[in-house]
Amino acid sequence: MLSMESRMKNYIKSVVALTVSWVLVLVGFIPASASSVLTDKGYQLEQVVMMSRHNLRTPLSGKGSIAEKMTSHQWHQWSIQPGHLTLKGAINETAFGQYYRCYLEDEGFMPVDWVPQEGEVSFYANSFQRTIATAKYFSSGMLPVANVHVVHTKGIDEPDPVFFFPLELDTPRLYELGVSYTEQNMPRYLTNGEAMLASFEKVMDFSHSEYAREKGIEHLDPKDVHFVLGGKDKNVPGFKGSWRDAYKATDALIMQYYEEPDNNKADWGTGLTKQDWKNIGDISTRGISMICENPALSLRYIHSLLEKMDSDLSNEDKRFSFFCGHDTNIIMLMTVLGAEDYHVPGAIADKAPIGCKIVLEKRRDKDGELYINPYIIYQSDRQIRHCEVLDLNNPPLRYPIKLTGIEANEDGLYRYSDFKRLLQDIHAQYAYYTET
Amino acid sequence: MLSMESRMKNYIKSVVALTVSWVLVLVGFIPASASSVLTDKGYQLEQVVMMSRHNLRTPLSGKGSIAEKMTSHQWHQWSIQPGHLTLKGAINETAFGQYYRCYLEDEGFMPVDWVPQEGEVSFYANSFQRTIATAKYFSSGMLPVANVHVVHTKGIDEPDPVFFFPLELDTPRLYELGVSYTEQNMPRYLTNGEAMLASFEKVMDFSHSEYAREKGIEHLDPKDVHFVLGGKDKNVPGFKGSWRDAYKATDALIMQYYEEPDNNKADWGTGLTKQDWKNIGDISTRGISMICENPALSLRYIHSLLEKMDSDLSNEDKRFSFFCGHDTNIIMLMTVLGAEDYHVPGAIADKAPIGCKIVLEKRRDKDGELYINPYIIYQSDRQIRHCEVLDLNNPPLRYPIKLTGIEANEDGLYRYSDFKRLLQDIHAQYAYYTET
């Protein structure tokens, strides 16, 4: 934990070290010196807990899948195994880690060439290739001279229940809460459906697709969607209908958009506008939000991850911890924390962009009071599509998380004691709703 | 060590695993199946030993240095510490490691998602930040789900004598061999000097530089260079004169060229042609070759690295080993091995391009005979400058190493027994020349 004074000492030490070192002072080297506004205001960064979505992966939709059936076009040819992080995803996540190296050095949080002691940092990922690899690339970018160990608890590509779960409403209270939420809120997720599906049909050349031919239709019906309870115990909330089919097909479409920076290739020359792409992103976001914003599901399934994040946050020896999972985890976490509804700019997937991270920064003010600075940080679609190198001059985009259950101070920070109380409330709710 | 049969078994196993796995077969996924010509001819890849130069770094030339004095222009502003791997260098090395993942999977050398056993792979780097980080990024790209340990033996940025040494001719025999080589061969390194310096003067706006003003000259004299023996024992070969100054300044110029993909920025709008850039690359290559192609210096200082590479090559449990050092190591290694003189295409630094690797592949033919396939592999200047993602469709450039001391077969391979004999000869020469 560095005070302002020790930050200055470290800075002076590093300048002296450079001067006396065998390494000469660099031609044109500008030492980074502009810390963040919060640091300048005296909120010193002491600890970081980060929950990341994996970076770019190949589509999950299968051969002969709905994605193939709903278009007359040929999909992008992927050279990487199904569900794996793509080559570009690895590059982008390395860039993200490098940005954090620049940022955390600049904040006085860590020295140049930091090699953390045992227990000071941790990287824990779901056991899928794409989540382990995302954690690995981020860690290399952030700590290139340290030998960081990425922890995963299952065999590769086996789901770890901390991150990936069956989505059952498996107690009476959860069932009631979950079902009534969906019944009440479903219309909210279906607004603007016509425009969204129009963009989808345009890019997919839908009317000439096998799907359209088989069903004898030319257009998708935005009202053709209904709530179902699946699974062997009929307690897994889901949706059916052509809207749901479009949602499933957008996965391959969005991955193609990220992977292919040439618009003309990404949209098969159909002349999609930015708004069209946003509409397509919205299909995906709505589809996942319908499930993951459900308070019963998010409470039930994010609890274990939240406990681990809380445990790291409470551990004074742990300076940086990184968790890596999925968009489902991101949206559930935001739901459980009671974040104000949000739509991040610069990304067609505006709730959980690929590779995005929920960050909890623990900061201490001059009087010794601790605060949490929560935000979501993500590469803009432009940065992703063009594999941009990131640094303090080209940072990823940052969007503050506004918590509705506790009050922020004038600098947008939450007292750590309030935040801990919020977590306790969540634990209490979890206990109540999971009681059988 | 995989036989053809076990390669096929592995392939079938992985196909079955994909089919039965929860991961669906990917939309548009094309399994890589075209192995290299050598593998198709029955030379199965069993082992890889790789000696890498670090990737892109910030210039080593100092503030108020010759690089600043020799131009009227402002140098590129670097955001990374002196002598460190740049952000772009990290991206490029990650891409290089990813290419090797594609290649080695395709060759049947390693399975998808390989997690090597203890001792099967090793990564050993000089203790500079840029060499440790290069090894780290390559390893992440190649083995993203394994926890690879990068070994370095000294404190960060302290030189490890395996890779970085004082260049003294410290025995009478070495001194005699080294000095006579330089006296005889120096003119060879200075041919075409006029054209090279003309390109240099053009980009640097040399005639308006502080250097030109102070010396009262408008042009550099390609004949102004002389051999010196420096160091406290006057046994360190070196050069002095304005040619040498230009050589030192080209380092910053070449790093700017790599870092800045916009030609107009890389050359400060001076309209440099490809040939101009090649001439500038040649200044650098000549300068370093004058020293590192010296048989006495290369024999004296690469011996320790060569012994370690030999030891890995002889270790049947070691499947992949990676060493990371400098251009000096690359050129000395080529010299000691007796490689035919070479100039690789697509790179202005045509003997040891940034991030290049000398690769020794050990392959076994159908009759069980072992061979060495030696080559140098490197990212083209285009791939480096544009941070291109690499894969089997966009591979780095590969250039065969032709050894003059032993004979290649019709497929360009050397019998392993011949190669081992070559190494023994080198060890014997080392013993003779270092005797005091």
Side-chain angles (χ1 to χ4, degrees), chain A residues 22 25-30 59 61-63 77-78 80-81 84 87 90 98 113 136-137 140 146-147 150 157, chain B residues 22 25-30 59 61-63 77-78 80-81 84 87 90 98 112-113 136-137 140 146-147 150 157:
Chain A
W22 64 271
V25 176
L26 188 70
V27 166
F29 172 63
I30 307 178
S61 48
K63 199 78 185 164
Q77 300 295 309
W78 299 89
I80 286 289
Q81 293 78 6
H84 273 49
L87 298 171
Q98 292 201 101
D113 298 337
K136 164 69 66 174
Y137 289 113
S140 295
N147 281 309
V150 174
D157 282 339
Chain B
W22 65 270
V25 176
L26 187 71
V27 166
F29 172 63
I30 307 178
S61 47
K63 199 78 185 164
Q77 301 294 308
W78 299 88
I80 286 290
Q81 293 77 6
H84 273 48
L87 299 171
Q98 292 201 102
V112 169
D113 298 337
K136 164 69 67 175
Y137 289 113
S140 296
N147 281 308
V150 174
D157 282 339

Side-chain angles (χ1 to χ4, degrees), chain A residues 37-318:
Chain A
V37 172
L38 286 175
T39 298
D40 289 345
K41 282 189 173 182
Y43 297 105
Q44 185 58 39
L45 182 58
E46 292 200 346
Q47 204 183 343
V48 178
V49 173
M50 193 179 276
M51 166 61 212
S52 177
R53 184 185 179 194
H54 59 78
N55 215 299
L56 270 180
R57 59 157 166 72
T58 47
L60 295 172
S61 48
K63 199 78 185 164
S65 71
I66 213 75
E68 288 212 325
K69 285 193 177 149
M70 290 183 99
T71 184
S72 68
H73 303 298
Q74 279 288 321
W75 287 99
H76 177 85
Q77 300 295 309
W78 299 89
S79 61
I80 286 289
Q81 293 78 6
H84 273 49
L85 200 70
T86 69
L87 298 171
K88 213 170 143 172
I91 297 297
N92 283 340
E93 194 62 29
T94 303
F96 215 143
Q98 292 201 101
Y99 166 75
Y100 261 87
R101 174 153 50 97
C102 297
Y103 169 68
L104 294 176
E105 285 175 9
D106 190 52
E107 288 288 273
F109 176 83
M110 66 184 210
V112 169
D113 298 337
W114 190 33
V115 179
Q117 299 294 306
E118 180 76 30
E120 282 191 307
V121 304
S122 62
F123 289 78
Y124 170 38
N126 186 18
S127 299
F128 293 174
Q129 189 274 352
R130 62 183 176 276
T131 40
I132 302 169
T134 294
K136 164 69 66 174
Y137 289 113
F138 186 94
S139 71
S140 295
M142 179 177 151
L143 299 165
V145 297
N147 281 309
V148 162
H149 196 86
V150 174
V151 172
H152 61 98
T153 61
K154 305 284 172 188
I156 288 168
D157 282 339
E158 285 170 29
D160 174 343
V162 170
F163 299 97
F164 201 86
F165 17 70
L167 296 175
E168 292 169 336
L169 294 167
D170 55 0
T171 72
R173 285 176 186 155
L174 284 172
Y175 186 90
E176 199 200 318
L177 177 66
V179 171
S180 70
Y181 174 85
T182 304
E183 283 170 355
Q184 283 164 36
N185 287 274
M186 192 146 148
R188 195 158 68 77
Y189 292 107
L190 301 175
T191 56
N192 201 33
E194 221 146 304
M196 279 152 49
L197 291 179
S199 298
F200 176 83
E201 291 179 4
K202 179 175 163 188
V203 69
M204 299 286 270
D205 184 28
F206 174 75
S207 63
H208 297 103
S209 71
E210 186 185 330
Y211 185 100
R213 216 168 33 245
E214 278 180 2
K215 302 222 172 199
I217 56 175
E218 287 206 12
H219 295 288
L220 292 163
D221 177 2
K223 293 195 178 55
D224 177 23
V225 53
H226 55 280
F227 179 42
V228 292
L229 284 160
K232 70 174 171 37
D233 295 328
K234 300 283 174 228
N235 63 355
V236 179
F239 301 89
K240 285 214 166 144
S242 55
W243 199 101
R244 168 75 180 171
D245 294 339
Y247 160 71
K248 283 179 74 180
T250 54
D251 179 66
L253 201 50
I254 290 174
M255 293 304 156
Q256 177 166 296
Y257 159 84
Y258 286 139
E259 192 74 15
E260 181 49 71
D262 180 343
N263 284 328
N264 222 24
K265 289 186 184 165
D267 71 2
W268 294 296
T270 55
L272 242 53
T273 64
K274 278 194 173 182
Q275 184 58 50
D276 282 323
W277 278 116
K278 185 69 184 65
N279 288 343
I280 287 161
D282 282 347
I283 295 175
S284 171
T285 301
R286 297 282 182 89
I288 194 166
S289 299
M290 280 184 200
I291 301 295
C292 297
E293 288 181 354
N294 187 311
L297 287 172
S298 58
L299 190 60
R300 171 71 179 84
Y301 290 105
I302 213 62
H303 184 257
S304 169
L305 174 61
L306 191 61
E307 268 194 328
K308 288 184 189 297
M309 292 174 70
D310 185 13
S311 159
D312 278 353
L313 210 52
S314 309
N315 176 353
E316 298 228 335
D317 296 330
K318 182 68 68 70

Side-chain angles (χ1 to χ4, degrees), chain B residues 148-397:
Chain B
V148 162
H149 196 87
V150 174
V151 172
H152 62 97
T153 61
K154 305 284 173 187
I156 289 168
D157 282 339
E158 285 171 28
D160 174 342
V162 169
F163 299 98
F164 202 86
F165 16 71
L167 296 176
E168 292 169 337
L169 294 167
D170 54 1
T171 71
R173 284 176 185 154
L174 283 172
Y175 186 91
E176 199 200 317
L177 176 66
V179 171
S180 71
Y181 174 85
T182 304
E183 283 170 355
Q184 283 164 35
N185 288 275
M186 193 146 149
R188 193 158 70 77
Y189 292 107
L190 301 174
T191 56
N192 201 33
E194 221 146 303
M196 280 152 48
L197 291 180
S199 298
F200 176 83
E201 291 179 3
K202 179 175 164 188
V203 68
M204 299 285 270
D205 184 29
F206 174 75
S207 63
H208 297 103
S209 71
E210 186 185 331
Y211 185 100
R213 217 168 34 246
E214 277 180 2
K215 302 223 171 195
I217 56 175
E218 287 206 12
H219 295 288
L220 291 163
D221 177 2
K223 294 197 177 54
D224 177 24
V225 52
H226 55 280
F227 179 42
V228 291
L229 283 161
K232 71 175 172 34
D233 294 328
K234 299 283 174 229
N235 63 355
V236 179
F239 300 88
K240 285 214 165 143
S242 55
W243 199 101
R244 168 75 180 170
D245 293 340
Y247 160 70
K248 284 179 74 179
T250 54
D251 179 67
L253 201 50
I254 289 174
M255 294 303 156
Q256 176 165 297
Y257 159 84
Y258 285 138
E259 192 73 15
E260 182 48 72
D262 180 344
N263 284 328
N264 222 24
K265 289 186 184 165
D267 71 3
W268 293 296
T270 55
L272 242 54
T273 63
K274 278 194 173 183
Q275 184 57 51
D276 282 323
W277 277 117
K278 186 69 184 67
N279 288 343
I280 287 161
D282 282 347
I283 295 175
S284 170
T285 301
R286 298 281 182 89
I288 194 166
S289 299
M290 280 184 200
I291 300 295
C292 297
E293 288 181 354
N294 187 311
L297 287 172
S298 58
L299 190 61
R300 170 72 179 83
Y301 290 105
I302 212 62
H303 184 259
S304 169
L305 174 61
L306 191 61
E307 268 194 328
K308 288 184 190 298
M309 292 173 71
D310 184 13
S311 159
D312 278 352
L313 209 52
S314 309
N315 176 353
E316 298 228 336
D317 296 330
K318 183 67 69 68
R319 303 211 58 224
F320 181 91
S321 64
F322 185 94
F323 296 85
C324 190
H326 306 271
D327 49 0
T328 49
N329 303 137
I330 296 288
I331 296 179
M332 284 185 171
L333 206 48
M334 295 293 264
T335 303
V336 157
L337 289 172
E340 200 178 277
D341 193 26
Y342 67 103
H343 299 279
V344 301
I348 63 170
D350 65 9
K351 293 214 157 179
I354 200 86
C356 73
K357 290 122 180 55
I358 290 176
V359 183
L360 303 175
E361 291 186 348
K362 200 201 262 180
R363 290 178 173 266
R364 190 185 296 273
D365 75 4
K366 288 165 187 158
D367 303 324
E369 187 76 44
L370 284 173
Y371 293 86
I372 293 294
N373 175 36
Y375 58 87
I376 184 163
I377 191 163
Y378 59 101
Q379 287 154 311
S380 71
D381 287 359
R382 191 202 67 209
Q383 289 171 332
I384 291 170
R385 298 181 75 200
H386 295 277
C387 280
E388 290 185 14
V389 173
L390 305 177
D391 61 15
L392 296 179
N393 297 316
N394 183 29
L397 302 182

